[in-house]
Amino acid sequence: MTGAVPPQGGAVPPQAQRPVTGAVPPQSGAVPPQAQRPVTGAVPPQGGAVPPQAYQPHPWNTASSYSQPSWYQNQPPRYNGGWQVPPQVPPIPNEPQPKWNAKKDRKAAFWLRIVALLIVVLLGYCIVSDVLLYRREVPASTTSQSEVREDGESHPNVVIQQQEKPELSSDAEGVAEDGSYTVEGVAAAVRPSIVEIRTYADEKGTLLDGTGSGIILSEDGYIITNAHVLTDGKAFTVITADEEEYPASVVGSDNKTDIAVIKVDKTDLPAAVIGDSDEVKLGEAVVAIGNPAGLSGSVTNGIVSGLNRKIRSDATGFDMDCIQTNAAISPGNSGGALVNMYGQVIGITSSKYVNASYEGLGFAITINEVLPIVEELIQQSYVSDRVRIGITFTSLYDEYIQGQFTEAVGMKRTPLELYGLWIQEISQDCDIANTELQVNDVILSVNGQKTETYDDLSAAIADNKANDTVEARCRRYEKNGTFQEFTIQFKLMEDTSGNY
């Protein structure tokens, strides 16, 4: 063999020369057999290499006799009767891709589900624990912010949050085995939220006129108290449990309900936790915290002696929904807190609801009745939907009052069937001043309903609003005991004074 190229890696050694008996079309990876002839040149091995053969064109390898490309058409050109380049490296067969293991797939999916479930459980645990921690340790605080209304003025917008009875940890200090505070625990938790209020008769704050108590409602300085604590006051001072002293201003006061709100210019105050008085149970243990007789931060305990007591204030004669308790409540406790054993304020104590003729009878206005009033006082300084007639009167129901009326008119004896509302003053800024009603006249009925007492008059105008016209039947007595009756009509006025 002349000009033979040595076989390369993967090349098959040359075969013995043998005749070719017939042409076979080329197969994949195979070289078509050649006619019997001496081998004159080596053919470079291809994929699935074959032994080098002498190059001899075959008729079916020509373009005229076979139009499809042959196995050697992509080879380099021939020079000097032989191949001058080394044979091509056979292509690397494609290795089969590993199949995904279904068993491993199922196992991985199983652990992914386990991890996802653990994450969900952990998130749920965190949320629940945060809620419980909030209920146990973080009081439901009252927040306030200002808003501008249609009148162009800025008004505080207060959101008062009430809290249900929490679940306290029995391992915490001051907590009993049943999950409630001990009296010591209540005192420690609530006493910082109770303040002393001093009322002065002069604007300079030098003439002390009286003292009372108050409850810190919000961290930014809103404080609840009784309206009668502020009566006739010209200046007010708040003293906190840490003996810090701050000047206070009146936000709003409502004598009808004996509720008032004051404010100090201080932040980060320890706001009280507001409870739900509807959850209070008869016989439940309670604690009263206030400043009786100027004794700051006094703590007394007792039980709930009665629920839903309609008690009339001796200041206005208006009935309020109260909690009866045997916890000691004295002058100076007014405006203080009645607290349950979870450290929540459930009522506002008031000495005005204490009957001096009996011992062990104390009353606190339920916090659920107080809060709507407080919200309106903070937002607009008065309670909405209040009306006034514009008169000051005294009921003639009592015989002693009848004697005073007889003397005021100048009669020698008390008339028979004397009843009604004895008019003692008429406000000139009200529509009733434009009628023929005079001082010492008697109003017998309003809107057709007999009026012998304050409650009768309130019931007669209960469905009326400001600017509604009402009718009243009146009587005017003469010195000789005779009288004449007449009817007047007048409009009710909106009451924003808080003195209803």
Side-chain angles (χ1 to χ4, degrees):
M1 296 175 61
T2 60
V5 179
Q8 303 296 320
V12 180
Q15 304 293 324
Q17 184 174 356
R18 62 185 181 276
V20 178
T21 59
V24 181
Q27 304 297 322
S28 174
V31 179
Q34 305 294 324
Q36 183 176 1
R37 66 184 180 279
V39 179
T40 59
V43 179
Q46 303 298 318
V50 297
Q53 304 289 331
Y55 177 78
Q56 180 65 36
H58 197 273
W60 53 261
N61 283 333
T62 63
S64 60
S65 61
Y66 188 76
S67 61
Q68 298 300 321
S70 64
W71 63 276
Y72 56 82
Q73 284 182 341
N74 291 327
Q75 300 300 321
R78 175 183 175 189
Y79 292 99
N80 298 325
W83 298 95
Q84 302 300 317
V85 293
Q88 296 182 359
V89 179
I92 300 174
N94 293 329
E95 297 182 1
Q97 297 296 324
K99 296 183 179 180
W100 184 260
N101 192 317
K103 184 176 181 181
K104 291 183 178 180
D105 182 36
R106 289 193 297 270
K107 186 175 181 180
F110 170 79
W111 284 111
L112 284 176
R113 286 194 293 268
I114 293 297
V115 172
L117 180 61
L118 290 176
I119 293 175
V120 172
V121 172
L122 181 60
L123 289 175
Y125 172 79
C126 292
I127 294 173
V128 172
S129 62
D130 286 346
V131 171
L132 292 178
L133 182 63
Y134 175 81
R135 291 182 61 188
R136 291 177 186 176
E137 300 180 2
V138 181
S141 60
T142 299
T143 58
S144 64
Q145 58 185 12
S146 297
E147 63 175 356
V148 179
R149 300 182 186 166
E150 295 179 357
D151 56 9
E153 297 182 0
S154 177
H155 297 266
N157 182 27
V158 179
V159 179
I160 300 177
Q161 299 178 355
Q162 290 180 277
Q163 184 190 74
E164 297 178 354
K165 291 181 179 179
E167 298 177 4
L168 303 175
S169 174
S170 58
D171 296 332
E173 184 178 355
V175 177
E177 293 182 357
D178 63 353
S180 63
Y181 280 120
T182 60
V183 175
E184 295 88 345
V186 171
V190 183
R191 191 173 179 273
S193 301
I194 309 302
V195 301
E196 179 181 357
I197 301 174
R198 294 181 179 178
T199 302
Y200 297 92
D202 64 315
E203 294 182 356
K204 295 182 179 180
T206 57
L207 300 176
L208 183 63
D209 190 46
T211 62
S213 304
I215 304 169
I216 299 176
L217 179 65
S218 66
E219 295 179 354
D220 56 349
Y222 285 98
I223 298 172
I224 310 174
T225 188
N226 286 135
H228 74 264
V229 172
L230 312 178
T231 301
D232 299 328
K234 303 297 183 182
F236 309 95
T237 298
V238 167
I239 301 175
T240 58
D242 56 3
E243 298 184 354
E244 294 292 331
E245 187 171 330
Y246 305 97
S249 58
V250 178
V251 175
S253 180
D254 186 59
N255 288 329
K256 182 176 182 178
T257 57
D258 198 23
I259 299 298
V261 178
I262 61 176
K263 191 177 188 303
V264 297
D265 189 13
K266 181 70 171 66
T267 57
D268 299 327
L269 292 174
V273 179
I274 305 300
D276 184 355
S277 54
D278 289 342
E279 292 184 344
V280 178
K281 297 180 180 179
L282 190 65
E284 180 179 345
V286 291
V287 173
I289 304 178
N291 305 285
L295 302 175
S296 301
S298 294
V299 178
T300 59
N301 69 316
I303 64 170
V304 174
S305 305
L307 296 171
N308 302 318
R309 303 296 197 195
K310 295 295 183 181
I311 305 300
R312 176 170 301 179
S313 169
D314 60 8
T316 64
F318 181 73
D319 290 342
M320 292 291 286
D321 188 16
C322 294
I323 299 171
Q324 179 187 339
T325 179
N326 64 342
I329 298 176
S330 306
N333 273 111
S334 293
L338 186 67
V339 187
N340 63 19
M341 301 310 292
Y342 295 89
Q344 301 171 323
V345 177
I346 57 174
I348 309 298
T349 58
S350 176
S351 63
K352 291 294 182 180
Y353 293 97
V354 176
N355 192 324
S357 303
Y358 303 94
E359 293 185 2
L361 285 179
F363 297 94
I365 309 171
T366 60
I367 196 66
N368 286 11
E369 186 159 349
V370 169
L371 292 184
I373 299 169
V374 168
E375 288 178 344
E376 290 206 62
L377 291 178
I378 292 176
Q379 293 173 3
Q380 57 194 22
S381 75
Y382 64 91
V383 179
S384 302
D385 298 327
R386 293 280 174 82
V387 296
R388 67 189 184 110
I389 296 175
I391 56 176
T392 303
F393 61 87
T394 301
S395 174
L396 291 172
Y397 185 81
D398 187 84
E399 290 184 0
Y400 175 76
I401 301 300
Q402 291 180 0
Q404 289 184 319
F405 172 77
T406 299
E407 183 179 349
V409 175
M411 294 183 292
K412 295 181 179 180
R413 64 182 64 180
T414 301
L416 298 175
E417 297 183 358
L418 180 60
Y419 69 93
L421 307 177
W422 172 21
I423 306 301
Q424 297 176 315
E425 185 179 350
I426 300 175
S427 299
Q428 296 303 308
D429 62 339
C430 293
D431 188 54
I432 196 171
N434 300 322
T435 67
E436 57 181 297
L437 186 69
Q438 299 177 3
V439 173
N440 289 333
D441 286 348
V442 177
I443 294 180
L444 305 177
S445 66
V446 173
N447 286 337
Q449 298 185 39
K450 190 175 183 179
T451 55
E452 294 188 79
T453 64
Y454 173 86
D455 290 343
D456 293 339
L457 178 60
S458 296
I461 62 174
D463 296 331
N464 293 109
K465 297 181 179 180
N467 296 320
D468 286 351
T469 299
V470 299
E471 183 178 272
R473 185 166 64 91
C474 309
R475 180 179 291 179
R476 181 174 297 157
Y477 285 91
E478 305 294 341
K479 293 182 179 180
N480 58 9
T482 61
F483 61 83
Q484 61 179 14
E485 293 186 359
F486 58 95
T487 299
I488 61 173
Q489 291 183 339
F490 56 91
K491 290 184 178 181
L492 297 175
M493 312 298 291
E494 183 181 17
D495 179 31
T496 60
S497 65
N499 296 320
Y500 179 84

